[in-house]
Amino acid sequence: MSAGVRVVKDDVAKLLQTIKLIGGGGDVLIGIPAEEDARTDSPIGNAAIGYIQEKGSSKQGIPPRPFLEPGVAKVSDKCADVIGRGAADALTEMNPSAVLTAKNKAGLIAQNSVKATITAGEGFAPLAESTLAARKRRGVSRTKPLIDTGSLLNSITYVIRKAAK
């Protein structure tokens, strides 16, 4: 060390760790992970059902009922603010875990928004008479699109996944 210079506190390693977490600590993904995909009442899983509902299937006569993309879009600015504040806090407090905390908070906000989009049921094409009749035969009186057994709704979650290198 040069004369007159004294290290009082060395947080360089913590700063570098924080910067690494901000830049590449993982993306917040909203949807239906493979672990949440299985169903006992359908030959296809929740992820496939969600995709078909989101995009529609002309072959099956299912109109698009977008819930995932609009649900996330409704809160994207709020989520960006939460993550931005978390990154700022991490740097000012030298607390790398603030980034992960913020990403988890943003994930919950987006997950809840997608679920709220489904339960509101607004703007979706109505169910076909044949679907309503099939539900009635099973003793189900719900008429909202996307909500039958609750399996799809309950499978919506978020994960923080590190980017592939």
Side-chain angles (χ1 to χ4, degrees), residues 20-29 99 103 159-163:
K20 184 177 179 183
L21 280 173
I22 291 170
D27 296 323
V28 182
L29 306 174
V99 176
K103 287 182 178 185
V159 295
I160 299 172
R161 188 160 295 149
K162 293 191 187 288

Side-chain angles (χ1 to χ4, degrees), residues 30-115:
I30 315 303
I32 305 166
E35 307 84 61
E36 305 294 326
D37 189 47
R39 292 180 69 118
T40 58
D41 65 337
S42 175
I44 62 174
N46 285 315
I49 291 170
Y51 182 84
I52 291 166
Q53 292 295 338
E54 181 86 11
K55 302 298 183 186
S57 171
S58 58
K59 184 177 179 181
Q60 297 296 321
I62 300 171
R65 294 184 177 103
F67 62 93
L68 184 61
E69 292 175 17
V72 171
K74 288 177 191 173
V75 293
S76 63
D77 288 344
K78 183 176 184 178
C79 290
D81 289 345
V82 166
I83 293 172
R85 282 194 309 274
D89 289 348
L91 288 171
T92 57
E93 298 168 15
M94 296 304 285
N95 178 9
S97 67
V99 176
L100 184 58
T101 299
K103 287 182 178 185
N104 278 299
K105 185 175 180 181
L108 282 172
I109 290 167
Q111 170 188 308
N112 290 335
S113 178
V114 170
K115 287 182 174 188

Side-chain angles (χ1 to χ4, degrees), residues 154-165:
N154 292 331
S155 69
I156 304 295
T157 190
Y158 76 95
V159 295
I160 299 172
R161 188 160 295 149
K162 293 191 187 288
K165 293 182 180 185

